[in-house]
Short mmCIF file of all heavy atoms in Angstrom, two decimals:
data_model
loop_
_atom_site.label_atom_id
_atom_site.label_comp_id
_atom_site.label_asym_id
_atom_site.label_seq_id
_atom_site.Cartn_x
_atom_site.Cartn_y
_atom_site.Cartn_z
N TRP A 17 13.74 -4.17 5.64
CA TRP A 17 14.69 -4.79 6.57
C TRP A 17 14.95 -6.26 6.24
O TRP A 17 15.85 -6.87 6.81
CB TRP A 17 14.19 -4.65 8.01
CG TRP A 17 14.44 -3.33 8.62
CD1 TRP A 17 15.56 -2.94 9.31
CD2 TRP A 17 13.58 -2.19 8.63
NE1 TRP A 17 15.44 -1.63 9.74
CE2 TRP A 17 14.23 -1.14 9.33
CE3 TRP A 17 12.31 -1.94 8.11
CZ2 TRP A 17 13.66 0.10 9.53
CZ3 TRP A 17 11.74 -0.70 8.29
CH2 TRP A 17 12.41 0.31 9.00
N GLU A 19 15.33 -10.05 6.18
CA GLU A 19 15.39 -11.05 7.25
C GLU A 19 15.68 -10.41 8.61
O GLU A 19 15.47 -11.04 9.65
CB GLU A 19 16.46 -12.09 6.93
CG GLU A 19 16.14 -12.95 5.72
CD GLU A 19 14.85 -13.74 5.90
OE1 GLU A 19 14.63 -14.28 7.01
OE2 GLU A 19 14.05 -13.81 4.95
N ALA A 20 16.16 -9.17 8.60
CA ALA A 20 16.45 -8.47 9.86
C ALA A 20 15.20 -7.73 10.36
O ALA A 20 15.29 -6.62 10.89
CB ALA A 20 17.61 -7.51 9.67
N GLY A 24 14.21 -4.10 12.41
CA GLY A 24 13.27 -3.11 11.91
C GLY A 24 12.21 -2.75 12.94
O GLY A 24 11.89 -1.58 13.14
N PRO A 45 4.97 -18.37 7.65
CA PRO A 45 5.71 -19.36 8.43
C PRO A 45 5.22 -19.52 9.87
O PRO A 45 5.52 -20.52 10.53
CB PRO A 45 7.15 -18.82 8.40
CG PRO A 45 7.23 -18.05 7.13
CD PRO A 45 5.87 -17.40 7.02
N GLU A 49 1.87 -21.35 14.41
CA GLU A 49 2.54 -20.92 15.64
C GLU A 49 2.13 -19.50 15.98
O GLU A 49 2.97 -18.62 16.13
CB GLU A 49 4.06 -21.01 15.48
CG GLU A 49 4.59 -22.40 15.19
CD GLU A 49 6.09 -22.41 15.05
OE1 GLU A 49 6.59 -22.12 13.93
OE2 GLU A 49 6.78 -22.67 16.05
N MET A 50 0.84 -19.28 16.10
CA MET A 50 0.34 -17.92 16.32
C MET A 50 0.80 -17.34 17.66
O MET A 50 0.97 -16.13 17.78
CB MET A 50 -1.19 -17.90 16.23
CG MET A 50 -1.70 -17.82 14.81
SD MET A 50 -1.11 -16.30 14.01
CE MET A 50 -0.85 -16.89 12.33
N VAL A 67 -1.47 -6.69 5.51
CA VAL A 67 -0.55 -7.67 4.93
C VAL A 67 -0.60 -7.54 3.42
O VAL A 67 -1.68 -7.53 2.82
CB VAL A 67 -0.92 -9.10 5.36
CG1 VAL A 67 -0.09 -10.13 4.59
CG2 VAL A 67 -0.71 -9.29 6.86
N TYR A 83 -6.87 -19.09 -5.93
CA TYR A 83 -7.95 -18.99 -4.94
C TYR A 83 -7.62 -19.77 -3.67
O TYR A 83 -7.86 -19.29 -2.55
CB TYR A 83 -9.26 -19.51 -5.52
CG TYR A 83 -9.83 -18.68 -6.66
CD1 TYR A 83 -10.72 -19.25 -7.57
CD2 TYR A 83 -9.49 -17.34 -6.82
CE1 TYR A 83 -11.25 -18.50 -8.62
CE2 TYR A 83 -10.01 -16.60 -7.86
CZ TYR A 83 -10.89 -17.18 -8.76
OH TYR A 83 -11.41 -16.44 -9.80
N VAL A 101 -5.95 -6.95 4.11
CA VAL A 101 -4.99 -7.47 3.13
C VAL A 101 -4.92 -6.48 1.98
O VAL A 101 -5.94 -5.91 1.56
CB VAL A 101 -5.38 -8.88 2.63
CG1 VAL A 101 -6.69 -8.85 1.84
CG2 VAL A 101 -4.26 -9.48 1.80
N ARG A 111 0.97 -6.83 -23.11
CA ARG A 111 1.11 -5.39 -23.31
C ARG A 111 -0.25 -4.70 -23.32
O ARG A 111 -0.39 -3.58 -22.84
CB ARG A 111 1.85 -5.12 -24.63
CG ARG A 111 2.17 -3.65 -24.87
CD ARG A 111 2.94 -3.46 -26.16
NE ARG A 111 4.24 -4.08 -26.07
CZ ARG A 111 5.32 -3.48 -25.58
NH1 ARG A 111 5.23 -2.25 -25.12
NH2 ARG A 111 6.48 -4.10 -25.54
N ALA A 126 -12.95 -9.91 -7.80
CA ALA A 126 -14.19 -10.04 -7.03
C ALA A 126 -14.21 -11.35 -6.25
O ALA A 126 -14.64 -11.38 -5.08
CB ALA A 126 -15.40 -9.96 -7.97
N ALA A 139 -10.28 -6.39 2.10
CA ALA A 139 -9.30 -6.44 1.01
C ALA A 139 -9.29 -5.13 0.25
O ALA A 139 -10.30 -4.43 0.15
CB ALA A 139 -9.63 -7.59 0.05
N VAL A 169 -5.79 1.03 -2.33
CA VAL A 169 -4.61 1.56 -1.63
C VAL A 169 -3.65 2.10 -2.69
O VAL A 169 -2.83 1.36 -3.24
CB VAL A 169 -3.92 0.47 -0.78
CG1 VAL A 169 -2.65 1.03 -0.13
CG2 VAL A 169 -4.86 -0.05 0.30
N LYS A 199 5.65 7.98 -0.26
CA LYS A 199 7.07 8.11 -0.62
C LYS A 199 7.22 9.35 -1.47
O LYS A 199 6.24 9.98 -1.86
CB LYS A 199 7.54 6.87 -1.39
CG LYS A 199 6.71 6.59 -2.64
CD LYS A 199 7.36 5.55 -3.52
CE LYS A 199 7.39 4.16 -2.92
NZ LYS A 199 6.10 3.44 -3.10
N ASP A 207 20.65 7.27 -17.85
CA ASP A 207 21.54 6.23 -18.37
C ASP A 207 20.79 5.45 -19.44
O ASP A 207 19.58 5.58 -19.60
CB ASP A 207 22.02 5.31 -17.24
CG ASP A 207 20.87 4.69 -16.47
OD1 ASP A 207 19.93 4.18 -17.12
OD2 ASP A 207 20.91 4.71 -15.23
N LEU A 230 4.81 17.59 -1.94
CA LEU A 230 4.29 16.88 -0.77
C LEU A 230 3.28 17.72 -0.01
O LEU A 230 2.28 17.19 0.50
CB LEU A 230 5.44 16.47 0.14
CG LEU A 230 6.47 15.52 -0.48
CD1 LEU A 230 7.62 15.29 0.48
CD2 LEU A 230 5.82 14.20 -0.85
N ASP A 241 -10.40 14.93 4.65
CA ASP A 241 -10.57 14.32 5.97
C ASP A 241 -10.19 12.84 5.95
O ASP A 241 -10.84 12.01 6.59
CB ASP A 241 -12.00 14.50 6.47
CG ASP A 241 -12.04 14.76 7.98
OD1 ASP A 241 -11.01 15.17 8.53
OD2 ASP A 241 -13.09 14.54 8.58
N GLY A 244 -7.47 6.99 6.68
CA GLY A 244 -6.83 5.70 6.50
C GLY A 244 -5.36 5.76 6.91
O GLY A 244 -4.83 6.81 7.28
N PRO A 257 16.94 2.01 6.00
CA PRO A 257 15.50 2.27 6.11
C PRO A 257 15.10 3.03 7.36
O PRO A 257 14.21 3.88 7.30
CB PRO A 257 14.88 0.87 6.07
CG PRO A 257 16.00 -0.08 6.38
CD PRO A 257 17.23 0.58 5.87
N ASP A 266 9.91 13.43 9.91
CA ASP A 266 10.17 14.86 10.12
C ASP A 266 9.37 15.71 9.13
O ASP A 266 8.83 16.77 9.50
CB ASP A 266 11.67 15.16 9.97
CG ASP A 266 12.49 14.67 11.14
OD1 ASP A 266 11.90 14.35 12.20
OD2 ASP A 266 13.74 14.60 11.01
N SER A 273 2.19 20.40 11.20
CA SER A 273 2.21 21.64 11.97
C SER A 273 1.74 22.82 11.12
O SER A 273 0.94 23.65 11.57
CB SER A 273 3.62 21.90 12.49
OG SER A 273 3.69 23.13 13.18
N SER A 276 -2.01 22.63 10.65
CA SER A 276 -2.73 23.03 11.86
C SER A 276 -2.75 24.53 12.02
O SER A 276 -3.78 25.12 12.40
CB SER A 276 -2.08 22.39 13.09
OG SER A 276 -2.18 20.98 13.04
N GLY A 284 -10.01 31.62 12.66
CA GLY A 284 -9.96 32.87 13.40
C GLY A 284 -9.30 32.78 14.74
O GLY A 284 -9.44 33.68 15.58
#
Side-chain angles (χ1 to χ4, degrees):
W17 280 271
E19 294 299 318
E49 299 180 275
M50 278 299 144
V67 171
Y83 294 158
V101 66
R111 186 178 294 273
V169 177
K199 56 168 68 81
D207 56 47
L230 299 175
D241 218 20
D266 287 345
S273 177
S276 296

